[in-house]
Amino acid sequence: MRSTASNDTTPRSDALFGPEAGPAAERIACLAEFMTAERYGVLRGSVAMRTRYMTVLAENMYHGQNAAALIRHCDAFGVQQMHTVETMCRFQPNPVIARGSERWVDVERHASTPEAISALRAAGYRIVATTPHREDVTPETFDVAKGPFALIFGTEHAGISDEAIAAADEFLRIPMCGLVESLNVSASAAILIYELSTRVRQTVDGWQLPIGEQAALMERWMRRSVKDADAILQRRLGSAK
């Protein structure tokens, strides 16, 4: 669903990267010649809005529709990386629903929940379990400025695992006004990722990727968008690396 105020809400920028971006800057400038200005602007603007300050961990999400919705939410709201645990099933987004969003979001796969949580903690993330069964914080009261955080979403029927509950630093729930006690995982993820990513950008300094990471990501996206990108770089710059 797009904003009713505009037919296209994707941020745009025609800015090229400078020397501070390192060797990727030259390759980006080269590939930009083989891309429309509009396409370059969409990619450049989207890179500038990406964040790793928050991330998502999906535990054994076996419905392809929900997997696709989750990765699409991450793309739509600028979350660059998500994590998966696949002890029971593979994380396989339905391509019809994902609409290519899996090309733009990095997915790191883990063999188990403890392994995933250990890796996230080592990277400096708070572990935040999303569940309607624990009283802790809501999207409005969650302290986004306290430090980077990872939202855990569980299986479609059982919710998050006991291992995730035991390891969680905080519990996050969406308050209900009706008779149902929870939303499905896709709807919950959409609300939480949108609400919290918006608050991160409004209140947290340094939420953006460092300029070097932005350039590296931009180059990777451009290589996927420009036909024969490696051959072009080899011919123009003498190397594709």
Side-chain angles (χ1 to χ4, degrees):
M1 179 177 181
R2 292 187 182 274
S3 166
T4 56
S6 170
N7 289 329
D8 192 346
T9 58
T10 305
R12 284 179 168 78
S13 172
D14 60 359
L16 290 171
F17 287 88
E20 70 279 5
E26 185 178 23
R27 294 190 290 271
I28 289 170
C30 177
L31 292 177
E33 299 178 33
F34 297 86
M35 180 178 288
T36 66
E38 181 180 20
R39 180 60 173 170
Y40 178 88
V42 170
L43 294 181
R44 181 68 178 89
S46 295
V47 162
M49 295 295 288
R50 275 330 212 221
T51 188
R52 293 184 189 273
Y53 184 87
M54 63 179 287
T55 189
V56 166
L57 170 61
E59 284 190 300
N60 292 306
M61 196 160 291
Y62 55 84
H63 285 314
Q65 296 93 326
N66 285 333
L70 192 56
I71 202 167
R72 190 170 171 177
H73 299 335
C74 287
D75 178 33
F77 303 125
V79 176
Q80 181 53 36
Q81 185 174 47
M82 65 170 294
H83 299 253
T84 67
V85 170
E86 304 177 21
T87 52
M88 297 170 59
C89 57
R90 290 280 292 172
F91 182 84
Q92 294 181 312
N94 182 309
V96 175
I97 296 173
R99 300 284 296 274
S101 55
E102 69 278 5
R103 300 178 64 201
W104 316 116
V105 176
D106 300 329
V107 178
E108 184 169 345
R109 302 174 188 271
H110 301 273
S112 68
T113 294
E115 177 190 297
I117 290 175
S118 177
L120 289 166
R121 285 199 193 283
Y125 288 101
R126 292 179 281 160
I127 307 303
V128 182
T130 62
T131 174
H133 304 297
R134 295 291 183 98
E135 293 289 336
D136 200 340
V137 294
T138 66
E140 296 79 13
T141 62
F142 179 70
D143 186 357
V144 297
K146 189 177 177 180
F149 57 92
L151 302 176
I152 303 181
F153 294 96
T155 63
E156 286 84 344
H157 296 298
I160 59 176
S161 67
D162 291 340
E163 293 167 311
I165 290 175
D169 300 306
E170 298 171 74
F171 296 93
L172 179 61
R173 66 181 181 85
I174 300 173
M176 299 287 122
C177 298
L179 300 181
V180 298
E181 67 173 17
S182 66
L183 300 171
N184 67 36
V185 65
S186 174
S188 296
I191 291 170
L192 293 176
I193 296 172
Y194 167 72
E195 175 72 21
L196 298 183
S197 66
T198 299
R199 291 182 53 218
V200 163
R201 292 186 178 88
Q202 291 173 343
T203 64
V204 176
D205 292 332
W207 60 266
Q208 290 175 292
L209 300 179
I211 195 68
E213 287 190 36
Q214 288 190 37
L217 182 61
M218 182 69 177
E219 180 187 351
R220 182 148 49 95
W221 285 2
M222 293 178 77
R223 284 175 181 263
R224 293 173 182 173
S225 301
V226 175
K227 185 177 180 180
D228 298 325
D230 285 355
I232 290 170
L233 293 172
Q234 182 70 45
R235 185 171 65 251
R236 289 289 194 88
L237 304 180
S239 174
K241 297 181 180 179

